[in-house]
Amino acid sequence: IQSLESRNKRWAENTETAGKILTESGKKEAQKQTDGTENDAAAQNAKRVFGDEPTELYARSAVLMDAGSGRVLFGKDADAVRPMASTTKIMTCILALEKGNPKDLVTASANAVAQPKVHLGMHEGEAFYLGDLLYSLMLESHNDSAVAVAEHIGGSVEEFAEKMNRKAREIGCKNVCFVTPNGLDVADADGNEHSASAADMARIMRYCAFQSPCRETFLEITRTASRTIQDESGNRSFYLANHNALLSPVSYTHLTL
């Protein structure tokens, strides 16, 4: 049992030691040491950072990335292509912020209204401010809001998906195929399924939080605990609550390692 502070201190020491191992010969040398050819403390620390899989990591793919440098500290099937579900909306949000104006009026189409739950429950022809829909998108993960935003920015879902894929390539993603703005599992006209790798989703998140010219607004939205929005006419109100558990204080007093 350790406190979060002591665990973070140990992790920092492990990472620092492993970083020293990654000299000119790079990770190859670290791998040589973690293979047991040099059984010392530095090698064991490097193995903790790069080689060992956490005992309670149940995700099929995972990445731990240093957001400052973009260096992957740990990966589990990091480049495997998998459905990414509603994490798709991270890209939808940052594109809308970069290409649109929060004061834009977005009119709900029949296509947007027809999206399955979870949804805001907008009516066809109803208008919302783009900025408000981004809170709906990121706090409640509403599928209809995602499509309404995509159609407003791209003209159609298909055109917006092209913008998503173009942006992903600019960021440096290698194994991404965006087909929808909300993450529903579909394939494009060529049969390519909506998918991404954990490594690429980490690159996208790093861009949104640290590199995008709209990063401050992105963080402001995603850090908001709750918000009430209205349609443009003011006739209907919607309460939005953020479901990100990391925004709430968490006690690590009884953390088992």
Side-chain angles (χ1 to χ4, degrees), residues 204-212 215-216 218-219:
I204 291 170
M205 190 62 205
R206 178 186 179 227
Y207 173 80
C208 292
F210 294 93
Q211 298 175 319
S212 169
R215 58 189 179 276
E216 293 298 331
F218 176 86
L219 292 173

Side-chain angles (χ1 to χ4, degrees), residues 10-11 13-15 17-18 21 30-52:
R10 193 190 74 174
W11 174 258
E13 291 171 349
N14 292 341
T15 305
T17 305
I21 292 174
Q31 186 61 50
K32 175 183 175 182
Q33 295 191 30
T34 59
D35 284 341
T37 57
E38 296 185 25
N39 187 21
D40 56 15
Q44 292 304 312
N45 284 334
K47 186 174 182 180
R48 286 194 193 96
V49 175
F50 295 108
D52 287 348

Side-chain angles (χ1 to χ4, degrees), residues 91-142:
M91 178 65 91
T92 301
C93 181
I94 202 65
L95 264 185
L97 288 172
E98 292 182 356
K99 302 291 186 182
N101 186 312
K103 295 182 179 179
D104 288 350
L105 277 177
V106 178
T107 302
S109 68
N111 183 32
V113 170
Q115 296 302 304
K117 293 183 177 180
V118 177
H119 56 218
L120 180 63
M122 55 179 60
H123 299 156
E124 184 177 355
E126 199 170 23
F128 293 84
Y129 288 106
L130 176 62
D132 287 338
L133 288 183
L134 295 183
Y135 282 93
S136 166
L137 181 77
M138 300 306 289
L139 271 61
E140 294 279 2
S141 194
H142 288 145

Side-chain angles (χ1 to χ4, degrees), residues 16 18 28-29 74 91 123 215 232 255 257:
E16 181 181 1
K28 182 177 180 181
E29 178 64 20
F74 170 82
M91 178 65 91
H123 299 156
R215 58 189 179 276
E232 186 268 337
L255 181 65
L257 299 179

